[in-house]
Amino acid sequence: MDRVKLCDQILLQKLHLLSNEVLRTNRGITERDMEEAFKQSIGYRAPRFFPQNDGILAIVYSAIFVVVLFIITPFLASFLELALGMRCIVPNNYLIWEATRPVSNCDFCRGVDRPIILQNLTREEFQPYAYSSRPIIIKRAVSHWPAVRLLNYTFLKDLYLRHPAALDSLHEDCQFLHFKSNFQTLRDVFRMSDERAEFRAGQQPWYVGWSNCNPAVLAELRKLYPKPHFLPDDAEMPNTDFVFLGYEQGAVMHIDYIPRLMWQAQLRGNKSWILAPTPECDAECRSFSFYVEPGDALLVDTRLWYHGTFIHSKGEFSLTIQSEYG
């Protein structure tokens, strides 16, 4: 039993005796007076955070607290500024989207085991297919675009270096997709050596994608490729296009959470695709693969089909422009 508890018991006993004596003699002594007198008689002191003779230690502890507070205050201020400036404290991510994805109606994939392949055609001829969920390849549909001849890694690097604000926009509203490469930003992509950019012997393959949402860059790029001529005249397109380029690798299997149908223009190299139904349709539908060639246009409802890509020809450079319509 510690000293405080022992004192409390003794105090209660003494107070009981003294209380009886006070009541008997009626000398005007209060119970509080008796309690204080008893504490003084036994040398009782109330518990303290610091021992009585440790004033120096208290000063040291206080000084350490002030120094630590001074050091962490800027970090706390930066954290609060970042948190308050975020549009979402818990940002959207693929796992959340996948967990909340509506269950698919398997009509989109039932009986489908290959893409529809069409030769270059007019808007009127394409109209019956315009909003189909069936994958469609239109052969040689974009082979006349200047982008087929002019657009490459060097062109893109020079363009973005002339518009450095476009690199910063990727940290704000645009997307950068590094896939399996070790690049974290588009700046990293344009800083790579010429040897790796050209995938020379001994270099690692790379494949990346990003969205062009900088108006100046988008305007320059769209001089090289128009809206696909076969799309419906009233089809709306976003103010953002994607670029995908690189060697050997590709996009892992995923589904897109976008508001419109997707089209891609294969400008350089061949690219292989694999499409798979959503998990709830596995029993009724099947996966299949195909490839596109330079000058081909591809239309896939990537909101319904899980899809992945790879460049099957070793050492071949692939470059694709992608956008949406609807």
Side-chain angles (χ1 to χ4, degrees), residues 88-262:
C88 297
I89 296 299
V90 180
N92 288 331
N93 60 59
Y94 190 81
L95 292 178
I96 294 176
W97 291 335
E98 180 64 17
T100 57
R101 177 180 60 81
V103 176
S104 298
N105 182 331
C106 300
D107 287 345
F108 82 93
C109 61
R110 191 176 290 112
V112 178
D113 59 2
R114 69 193 68 183
I116 298 172
I117 299 179
L118 304 172
Q119 299 303 315
N120 195 7
L121 72 179
T122 65
R123 178 177 292 123
E124 291 72 22
E125 293 170 329
F126 181 70
Q127 185 61 40
Y129 307 96
Y131 297 101
S132 172
S133 61
R134 290 281 303 271
I136 301 171
I137 299 174
I138 305 177
K139 303 297 293 184
R140 310 297 294 170
V142 301
S143 58
H144 61 287
W145 285 1
V148 173
R149 295 179 290 102
L150 301 177
L151 199 57
N152 53 37
Y153 170 83
T154 302
F155 182 98
L156 290 166
K157 179 179 179 179
D158 292 342
L159 175 61
Y160 273 87
L161 292 182
R162 293 199 309 270
H163 300 278
L167 295 171
D168 297 328
S169 67
L170 288 175
H171 300 289
E172 299 168 0
D173 301 316
C174 299
Q175 287 182 281
F176 176 75
L177 307 171
H178 60 80
F179 299 116
K180 298 177 183 179
S181 72
N182 60 346
F183 301 121
Q184 297 302 313
T185 67
L186 189 55
R187 291 183 187 274
D188 295 337
V189 174
F190 292 142
R191 286 172 179 164
M192 80 170 103
S193 66
D194 292 341
E195 290 77 14
R196 189 175 183 193
E198 297 173 5
F199 191 37
R200 297 178 189 173
Q203 297 296 317
Q204 291 182 330
W206 56 274
Y207 185 85
V208 297
W210 69 88
S211 56
N212 292 313
C213 55
N214 180 274
V217 169
L218 190 62
E220 289 293 321
L221 287 175
R222 286 187 172 178
K223 292 177 182 178
L224 303 181
Y225 59 88
K227 173 183 174 180
H229 65 276
F230 52 82
L231 291 181
D233 192 43
D234 60 351
E236 296 181 355
M237 293 180 59
N239 293 322
T240 302
D241 295 339
F242 275 84
V243 175
F244 296 95
L245 74 165
Y247 296 87
E248 291 194 5
Q249 302 173 348
V252 297
M253 291 294 289
H254 66 287
I255 199 168
D256 291 337
Y257 296 90
I258 56 178
R260 304 176 181 88
L261 293 164
M262 181 278 293

Side-chain angles (χ1 to χ4, degrees), residues 292-321:
V292 289
E293 300 174 303
D296 290 350
L298 172 67
L299 299 96
V300 178
D301 193 341
T302 54
R303 304 168 299 179
L304 297 175
W305 291 95
Y306 279 86
H307 54 285
T309 62
F310 64 94
I311 303 160
H312 61 276
S313 298
K314 186 174 179 62
E316 184 177 43
F317 178 71
S318 174
L319 174 60
T320 304
I321 292 292

Side-chain angles (χ1 to χ4, degrees), residues 37-55:
F38 177 74
K39 287 181 178 180
Q40 291 179 12
S41 68
I42 64 172
Y44 174 80
R45 295 291 185 272
R48 299 173 54 180
F49 181 75
F50 295 109
Q52 184 176 4
N53 297 323
D54 282 351

